[in-house]
Amino acid sequence: MENQHLERKLKNRHIQLIAIGGAIGTGLFLGSGKAIHLAGPSIIFAYLIIGIALFFVMRALGELLLSNSGYASFTDFTSEYLGPWAGFVTGWTYWFCWIMTAMADITAVGKYMQFWFQVPQWIPAFLCLIVLTILNLLTVKMFGEIEFWFAIIKVVTIVALIILGLILIVIGFKTDYGQASVQNLWAYGGLFPHGIDGFFLGFQMAVFSFVGIELVGVTAAETADPEKNIPRAINSLPVRVLLFYIGALFVILCIIPWIKLHAEHSPFVTVFTLVGIPAAAGIINFVVLTSAASACNSGLFSTSRMLFSLGRDGNAPKSFARLGKSAVPSAALICSTLALFAGVILNYFLPDIVFTLVTSISAICFIWVWGVILVAHIIYLKKRPDLAAASKFKAPLAPLINWIVLAFFIFLLVLIGMAADTRIALFVTPVWFLLLFIAYSLHRKKRQSQR
């Protein structure tokens, strides 16, 4: 088992599109409706602020990964710079993050299938999970190809939406709600219609839109020429945020006054329906369906690789570190799939509240992971100035910016606690960390007794 290694089958085009796919998730298509409802047009600024903060997280992640070619993912450098407990807690938390996220994604698959078929949400969720598991068991290149084409669909759709939207704004296209115009941004209560409180409440859903942005850090061990491809993917992040988030939301809010958008419906579908192209609404629904399936696909990939790393380091059953004939950690993948069946069960019993609950929990856990990356980077700069000096991909403004972004993350946790429907997650999530620290303590005692 010690001689088994993940294969570097992911090419540059895969990594670039995996990075884009990670940045454009279910949150933009499904969650942005609720975010707009809470914050109004000011949600654009929320996405921009979070995007800037996460760019610095990604640069820290990139520098750390490239400082040692032996790092398979960020659990390796968290263990080295913060201690074994950090690798254990962060690895299992990241696994938990993606299980929660993929639950939200299969929830979204169920919701979007109801556009065409009036079937219970859990049935499409179950079928999606089975198909993606089978495809991921074949080869890592299959994951790369699926994600590549899913991401292409998302990119083409958003670019088309922006181009169409700009044309409608320029010609002053009239909808049932008035004329498409930039003035719609401030004509209905200003840019901050719900004041600063509403603006802050929009952050929670906006954060969820970015979960998975660090997925490039999990692909490191399976990336061909990581020194070239990882920096290229990370540096394109600001352009992606500006184009896909700010551009799309700007166009949507100019075409339809924010007060006319429904919190539970995708604003993307609403725009194309208003324009009078009913077939286009079906097409957009298909696109957001593939977006949710794409994010679920990423979830299966990332959770299986994280279990592989944990198993390899002795922090999970050793069977998780075994690779199948196609160099895929099959046992780890099947374990994650079984955990995701809990999402299907939740869809069956609690279809209406699942999305908000799991997005809130995953957002809190992802904030932990992002925070740990920043802390590990601060310690790396202090302990290994030789590596920092030799780095070809230095994180800008570090370590000062690391502390500023960490303070911002604490602020986000406070905001999550302010909203009634997300507050429960803030109280539930610490239970996960408490269980993890107990598990690590027992795990450490067991390993010490075996020596």
Side-chain angles (χ1 to χ4, degrees), residues 20-44:
I20 291 173
I24 313 168
T26 314
L28 176 61
F29 293 113
L30 186 62
S32 57
K34 184 176 180 182
I36 291 168
H37 180 73
L38 289 169
S42 66
I43 195 64
I44 291 174

Side-chain angles (χ1 to χ4, degrees), residues 176-440:
D176 294 343
Y177 302 114
Q179 189 170 325
S181 168
V182 177
Q183 291 183 346
N184 285 334
L185 287 173
W186 57 81
Y188 297 86
L191 289 172
F192 296 82
H194 294 313
I196 201 72
D197 290 345
F199 171 59
F200 286 156
L201 287 176
F203 272 80
Q204 185 267 323
M205 290 307 294
V207 167
F208 181 69
S209 299
F210 288 95
V211 302
I213 207 165
E214 73 304 307
L215 188 61
V216 171
V218 184
T219 65
E222 293 168 277
T223 301
D225 196 5
E227 290 80 7
K228 178 183 176 184
N229 293 330
I230 289 177
R232 189 182 292 176
I234 290 173
N235 283 334
S236 64
L237 178 62
V239 175
R240 294 203 303 269
V241 170
L242 285 172
L243 177 63
F244 299 129
Y245 285 93
I246 311 305
L249 290 171
F250 171 80
V251 163
I252 288 167
L253 291 168
C254 287
I255 295 171
I256 309 171
W258 71 271
I259 56 170
K260 306 297 182 183
L261 290 167
H262 197 283
E264 299 303 320
H265 296 160
S266 169
F268 285 76
V269 175
T270 308
V271 164
F272 280 85
T273 305
L274 269 181
V275 172
I277 317 172
I283 293 167
I284 293 296
N285 204 74
F286 169 74
V287 170
V288 292
L289 180 66
T290 60
S291 171
S294 160
C296 187
N297 187 44
S298 296
L300 285 171
F301 172 83
S302 56
T303 52
S304 62
R305 270 50 179 188
M306 194 51 66
L307 285 182
F308 171 81
S309 292
L310 288 165
R312 181 201 59 198
D313 297 338
N315 290 326
K318 289 184 179 180
S319 58
F320 291 157
R322 292 196 186 99
L323 299 178
K325 291 181 181 178
S326 53
V328 169
S330 306
L333 182 61
I334 291 167
C335 176
S336 292
T337 301
L338 291 174
L340 274 176
F341 272 116
V344 176
I345 294 166
L346 281 172
N347 266 296
Y348 182 77
F349 290 106
L350 304 164
D352 296 327
I353 63 170
V354 168
F355 191 79
T356 300
L357 180 63
V358 298
T359 52
S360 305
I361 292 172
S362 68
I364 294 166
C365 289
F366 271 104
I367 289 170
W368 163 276
V369 172
W370 297 333
V372 165
I373 291 169
L374 290 173
V375 172
H377 187 251
I378 291 169
I379 297 171
Y380 150 84
L381 292 174
K382 191 173 182 180
K383 283 190 174 180
R384 296 303 304 268
D386 54 322
L387 290 178
S391 174
K392 294 178 182 177
F393 193 56
K394 291 183 174 68
L397 306 177
L400 176 61
I401 197 68
N402 296 42
W403 291 110
I404 293 171
V405 176
L406 283 168
F408 173 66
F409 286 161
I410 293 169
F411 174 63
L412 285 180
L413 293 175
V414 173
L415 295 181
I416 289 171
M418 284 171 60
D421 56 349
T422 57
R423 190 178 300 132
I424 185 172
L426 198 62
F427 296 114
V428 169
T429 311
V431 176
W432 165 256
F433 286 103
L434 179 63
L435 291 172
L436 267 189
F437 279 107
I438 293 170
Y440 175 72

Side-chain angles (χ1 to χ4, degrees), residues 28-214:
L28 176 61
F29 293 113
L30 186 62
S32 57
K34 184 176 180 182
I36 291 168
H37 180 73
L38 289 169
S42 66
I43 195 64
I44 291 174
F45 301 117
Y47 276 94
L48 184 62
I49 292 167
I50 295 169
I52 291 169
L54 289 178
F55 171 68
F56 291 110
V57 174
M58 291 299 292
R59 285 300 300 257
L61 172 63
E63 181 174 358
L64 283 164
L65 283 175
L66 297 177
S67 69
N68 184 336
S69 60
Y71 289 156
S73 73
F74 46 78
T75 55
D76 293 333
F77 63 68
T78 53
S79 293
E80 181 171 340
Y81 292 112
L82 278 80
W85 70 269
F88 182 92
V89 172
T90 304
W92 278 108
T93 298
Y94 193 67
W95 177 82
F96 182 67
C97 279
W98 268 108
I99 291 296
M100 290 289 104
T101 303
M103 281 183 189
D105 296 325
I106 56 178
T107 300
V109 167
K111 282 190 176 185
Y112 284 125
M113 284 301 289
Q114 289 176 337
F115 183 85
W116 297 290
F117 309 106
Q118 290 306 309
V119 294
Q121 273 183 216
W122 70 269
I123 295 175
F126 177 77
L127 294 174
C128 172
L129 187 55
I130 294 298
V131 171
L132 289 176
T133 300
I134 292 169
L135 292 172
N136 271 274
L137 281 169
L138 298 177
T139 167
V140 67
K141 196 171 182 182
M142 179 62 75
F143 161 75
E145 288 298 330
I146 297 167
E147 207 51 38
F148 177 82
W149 290 107
F150 274 159
I152 286 286
I153 291 169
K154 289 189 271 192
V155 169
V156 168
T157 304
I158 294 177
V159 171
L161 174 90
I162 292 170
I163 293 171
L164 175 63
L166 290 174
I167 293 170
L168 296 179
I169 294 165
V170 169
I171 66 172
F173 185 82
K174 291 187 178 180
T175 69
D176 294 343
Y177 302 114
Q179 189 170 325
S181 168
V182 177
Q183 291 183 346
N184 285 334
L185 287 173
W186 57 81
Y188 297 86
L191 289 172
F192 296 82
H194 294 313
I196 201 72
D197 290 345
F199 171 59
F200 286 156
L201 287 176
F203 272 80
Q204 185 267 323
M205 290 307 294
V207 167
F208 181 69
S209 299
F210 288 95
V211 302
I213 207 165
E214 73 304 307

